[in-house]
Amino acid sequence: MSRKTPNLSKANAHTDRHSTVPLESTQPKLTQYIGFFSIGYVLASAIFMMIQTKLTLNAQLVTVLSIAIGAYIAVHKFIKHQHRALQKNEINRLMLGGIMAVWLLTVLYFLGVWFLLFDQVSREVLFEMTKQRPLPLLSALVMIVLLSLVSARISIWAFNHLLNPKKDTL
């Protein structure tokens, strides 16, 4: 009777039914879905900017609707690619990543406006206004960041629930 040497390769390590696959290898990468979220947000914002030339809309409403459209696109693409709904930790990561990407794009937009459209006098006037009354601007910034976080969380959760391919039927 001959003895077999054990095969210690990693390829066969997952054949045992009691072995567990590391969590990192089963989790899909959310970076492309954060990109879908950002693209959806930018497209919706551009469309709402064009609409606002003819019709006045509330800025907070435009923000919430743009985030909801970005969330819909991201969740729809995730469910289409992964054939399952987002898990709670994936919802949180998609929300935070999407909002960070949106605010990074917003900062780049404002820097472009600041350096390309404003002249030195306009910059000084805005800077002096900010120095004289910083609290209203700071509170408005905190409120819009909170509004975007809450609307992203609710939108992603709602679209994840609505588009879930494996809904429990009673």
Side-chain angles (χ1 to χ4, degrees), residues 101-163:
V102 162
W103 278 98
L104 178 66
L105 291 171
T106 304
V107 166
L108 291 175
Y109 172 76
F110 282 123
L111 284 175
V113 167
W114 181 264
F115 288 115
L116 299 175
L117 295 181
F118 289 163
D119 59 351
Q120 187 63 31
V121 174
S122 299
R123 287 187 207 129
E124 286 180 22
V125 168
L126 287 172
F127 190 67
E128 286 300 319
M129 286 173 45
T130 306
K131 280 177 49 177
Q132 288 177 5
R133 299 202 46 159
L135 193 57
L137 291 173
L138 187 61
S139 63
L141 179 66
V142 168
M143 291 305 289
I144 198 72
V145 168
L146 287 175
L147 176 72
S148 60
L149 283 169
V150 169
S151 63
R153 173 70 175 171
I154 291 171
S155 298
I156 291 171
W157 175 82
F159 290 127
N160 188 47
H161 183 71
L162 291 172
L163 299 174

Side-chain angles (χ1 to χ4, degrees), residues 32-151:
Q32 75 180 26
Y33 305 107
I34 291 170
F36 289 135
F37 185 97
S38 301
I39 289 170
Y41 174 81
V42 168
L43 289 175
S45 295
I47 290 169
F48 284 124
M49 282 182 199
M50 288 187 280
I51 291 171
Q52 283 184 321
T53 61
K54 304 293 180 197
L55 180 68
T56 304
L57 296 173
N58 186 343
Q60 289 83 7
L61 176 68
V62 169
T63 300
V64 169
L65 289 175
S66 297
I67 287 173
I69 291 170
Y72 172 78
I73 291 171
V75 171
H76 176 71
K77 288 291 187 180
F78 182 89
I79 289 174
K80 184 178 175 184
H81 293 163
Q82 301 296 324
H83 304 292
R84 65 174 179 87
L86 288 157
Q87 297 171 354
K88 186 176 180 178
N89 63 344
E90 293 169 336
I91 290 174
N92 292 334
R93 288 182 12 222
L94 181 61
M95 176 199 62
L96 289 175
I99 293 302
M100 286 181 2
V102 162
W103 278 98
L104 178 66
L105 291 171
T106 304
V107 166
L108 291 175
Y109 172 76
F110 282 123
L111 284 175
V113 167
W114 181 264
F115 288 115
L116 299 175
L117 295 181
F118 289 163
D119 59 351
Q120 187 63 31
V121 174
S122 299
R123 287 187 207 129
E124 286 180 22
V125 168
L126 287 172
F127 190 67
E128 286 300 319
M129 286 173 45
T130 306
K131 280 177 49 177
Q132 288 177 5
R133 299 202 46 159
L135 193 57
L137 291 173
L138 187 61
S139 63
L141 179 66
V142 168
M143 291 305 289
I144 198 72
V145 168
L146 287 175
L147 176 72
S148 60
L149 283 169
V150 169
S151 63

